[in-house]
Amino acid sequence: EAQVTQNPRYLITVTGKKLTVTCSQNMNHEYMSWYRQDPGLGLRQIYYSMNVEVTDKGDVPEGYKVSRKEKRNFPLILESPSPNQTSLYFCASSKSRARSGANVLTFGAGSRLTVL
Amino acid sequence: AQSVAQPEDQVNVAEGNPLTVKCTYSVSGNPYLFWYVQYPNRGLQFLLKYITGDNLVKGSYGFEAEFNKSQTSFHLKKPSALVSDSALYFCAVRDGGDYKLSFGAGTTVTVRA
């Protein structure tokens, strides 16, 4: 089944304790992206990747890191989490290296993170 | 800069009645418009998109949306709502061929039996 898989789905952690949220897709998609969803704000893009070893900042990159060493994986790293990073996180991917506005995103099921 | 507005936080309708979820957008180039739906504890799912052509776009689960360039709107509609349509709906826009996709804040739809 074509899908985007995120882990963990739920996590409670404490301020300052490094964590990684993994994201993997099995569709051979070039483009991958991380979003956070907060009430009243919709989805805001954190980072995105056009292809392996190519990443760029989205709208809210502060406090996050990403890497794209393999095409299928795009982990989100919180080096020193803070309470304002408590949120619902989504990974998404789409095909085509070319800039195509018509591409549809496939989303993971989400990872709910709580930072105490 | 591109942006999307969903003016209603919540929409409540009775089952069998028409459902409309409003969306307006702002872009500098040609808009590529999308609707996604999020069911509880699930990721977002694609419903439909407008790229070019016919202003009325048909999508999944009986939904359709009408692109109105003069009003810069892309409202989502369903002629007869079902209880199972209760979910969070997001409108999104891309400016031309850009990869960046901007989402609205979302509209919670509740369909009562």
Side-chain angles (χ1 to χ4, degrees), chain A residues 4-5 7 11 23 31 43-44 49-52 73 78 85-86 105 115:
Chain A
V4 176
T5 303
N7 281 296
L11 179 63
C23 174
Y31 180 84
L43 274 75
R44 293 179 292 168
S49 170
M50 300 289 283
N51 212 327
V52 177
N73 296 323
L78 285 72
Q85 292 178 297
T86 293
L105 288 171
V115 183

Side-chain angles (χ1 to χ4, degrees), chain A residues 74-89:
Chain A
F74 190 45
L76 180 69
I77 303 159
L78 285 72
E79 293 273 4
S80 182
S82 62
N84 64 10
Q85 292 178 297
T86 293
S87 187
L88 179 58
Y89 292 86

Side-chain angles (χ1 to χ4, degrees), chain A residues 60-77:
Chain A
V60 288
E62 296 79 17
Y64 305 95
K65 286 176 57 179
V66 293
S67 67
R68 187 90 182 272
K69 295 184 171 60
E70 305 166 282
K71 196 173 188 178
R72 63 182 293 122
N73 296 323
F74 190 45
L76 180 69
I77 303 159

Side-chain angles (χ1 to χ4, degrees), chain B residues 76-90:
Chain B
L76 181 70
K77 300 180 181 181
K78 186 170 184 179
S80 179
L82 301 172
V83 172
S84 57
D85 293 327
S86 298
L88 180 57
Y89 291 80
F90 289 99

Side-chain angles (χ1 to χ4, degrees), chain B residues 11-95:
Chain B
V11 170
N12 298 305
V13 298
E15 189 172 36
N17 283 0
L19 169 63
T20 298
V21 186
K22 296 179 181 178
C23 171
T24 59
Y25 65 89
S26 174
V27 296
S28 56
N30 291 322
Y32 290 12
L33 294 152
F34 302 79
W35 276 101
Y36 286 84
V37 60
Q38 183 181 24
Y39 297 103
N41 300 313
R42 303 282 296 278
L44 279 73
Q45 298 176 28
F46 169 72
L47 272 180
L48 51 79
K49 65 181 178 183
Y50 171 83
I51 305 302
T52 187
D54 194 349
N55 289 344
L56 185 63
V57 178
K58 293 188 183 297
S60 306
Y61 312 122
F63 283 94
E64 59 188 29
E66 186 167 10
F67 171 65
N68 188 317
K69 188 173 182 178
S70 62
Q71 297 186 4
T72 61
S73 67
F74 189 57
H75 301 330
L76 181 70
K77 300 180 181 181
K78 186 170 184 179
S80 179
L82 301 172
V83 172
S84 57
D85 293 327
S86 298
L88 180 57
Y89 291 80
F90 289 99
C91 183
V93 67
R94 281 198 181 103
D95 191 342

Side-chain angles (χ1 to χ4, degrees), chain A residues 31-45:
Chain A
Y31 180 84
M32 297 186 74
S33 181
W34 277 103
Y35 293 87
R36 60 177 289 173
Q37 181 183 359
D38 302 289
L41 297 177
L43 274 75
R44 293 179 292 168
Q45 190 177 47

